[in-house]
Amino acid sequence: MPVKKHAGLKALRQSEKRKAKNQKIKQGMRVFEKKFRSLLEAKNFTALREMVPTLCQTFDKAARGKVIKKNKAQRKKSRLMSLLNKVSPK
């Protein structure tokens, strides 16, 4: 417990702000991943190819902001790209 009450309250306010920001970023990542998977099921390869840079950028930005770990971002990108390469026409 902090010595001064207002210092603890400030830390609480800061953590709530950070939590809200992190949740918004994670929600955006989930939305992109769901959209990617739905386009993959629909076999809409032109839209998928356009979406790949944005998807990678979203994961990298989350890792850079320390919302997720760097390896998790790399793993998610790798798994999604392998799915795309498995399904896409040669």
Side-chain angles (χ1 to χ4, degrees):
M1 188 71 192
V3 175
K4 297 181 180 176
K5 184 179 176 184
H6 60 276
L9 294 176
K10 181 180 178 182
L12 184 63
R13 286 194 307 269
Q14 287 175 331
S15 68
E16 286 174 351
K17 243 186 215 183
R18 289 181 186 129
K19 180 182 176 185
K21 182 182 145 226
N22 291 344
Q23 283 179 338
K24 185 176 180 184
I25 292 169
K26 284 182 181 181
Q27 180 63 32
M29 287 173 33
R30 279 194 294 271
V31 166
F32 265 115
E33 190 173 354
K34 282 182 181 180
K35 189 184 286 188
F36 186 87
R37 288 180 186 275
S38 67
L39 287 172
L40 198 62
E41 286 179 14
K43 298 188 189 277
N44 190 348
F45 298 113
T46 54
L48 279 169
R49 293 290 177 194
E50 293 172 4
M51 188 181 179
V52 166
T54 313
L55 182 77
C56 291
Q57 184 181 21
T58 305
F59 285 127
D60 289 337
K61 194 171 183 180
R64 194 169 50 242
K66 298 188 175 147
V67 176
I68 60 172
K69 293 192 177 189
K70 182 178 69 172
N71 287 343
K72 181 174 182 176
Q74 295 297 325
R75 184 176 66 243
K76 282 197 166 286
K77 288 192 307 184
S78 175
R79 287 181 181 171
L80 291 172
M81 292 307 114
S82 66
L83 279 175
L84 176 63
N85 290 334
K86 192 184 298 182
V87 177
S88 68
K90 304 291 184 237

